[in-house]
């Protein structure tokens, strides 16, 4: 499946997709206007925090996510979605690796300063990605 990561970012800076029906971890994919993707895994419970995150430079021609660097631990490597296999509900639900659990859009955001997407950068990206 040929895909462009920027198509899932929406009209603003980006969108957050969260894996549905997850009980132990909160897995999120963030898609940005420039085609970058960020995977974030959070733990649930009293000590809820970020477990790890990984950046990617979009998809290849077969729908595989091009991760910048693989996580160090095998369990973290297995958590990463690899291949986009289906786009559902007009792009608000994404299926990876033919898995039953989908990533569903939960948020659209105008900026993301923590990840380097200030209002000025988003403005510049919109000018170059028209």
């Amino acid at each position: 499946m040929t895909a462009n990561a920027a198509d899932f970012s929406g009209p603003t800076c980006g969108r957050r997709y969260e894996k549905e029906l997850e009980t132990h971890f909160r897995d999120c994919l963030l898609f940005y206007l420039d085609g970058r993707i960020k995977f974030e895994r959070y733990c649930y419970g009293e000590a809820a925090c970020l477990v790890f995150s990984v950046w990617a430079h979009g998809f290849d021609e077969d729908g595989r996510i091009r991760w910048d660097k693989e996580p160090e631990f095998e369990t973290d490597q297995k958590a990463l979605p690899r291949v986009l296999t289906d786009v559902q509900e007009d792009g608000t639900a994404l299926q990876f690796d033919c898995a039953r659990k989908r990533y569903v859009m939960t948020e659209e955001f105008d900026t993301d300063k923590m990840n380097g997407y200030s209002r000025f950068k988003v403005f510049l990206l919109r000018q170059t990605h028209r």
Side-chain angles (χ1 to χ4, degrees), residues 48-87:
C49 62
L50 180 67
V51 177
F52 76 97
S53 64
V54 182
W55 283 94
H57 277 85
F59 297 101
D60 69 10
E61 60 278 349
D62 296 323
R64 287 184 178 83
I65 298 177
R66 297 181 302 182
W67 296 112
D68 292 350
K69 182 180 175 187
E70 289 287 325
E72 182 179 345
F73 300 105
E74 184 179 347
T75 55
D76 296 343
Q77 292 171 7
K78 289 180 181 179
L80 292 179
R82 300 292 177 171
V83 180
L84 179 65
T85 52
D86 196 13
V87 178

Side-chain angles (χ1 to χ4, degrees), residues 18-30:
E18 191 171 324
K19 193 173 191 179
E20 64 183 359
L21 308 172
E22 197 62 51
T23 57
H24 293 84
F25 296 101
R26 187 174 138 226
D27 291 346
C28 300
L29 283 171
L30 289 84

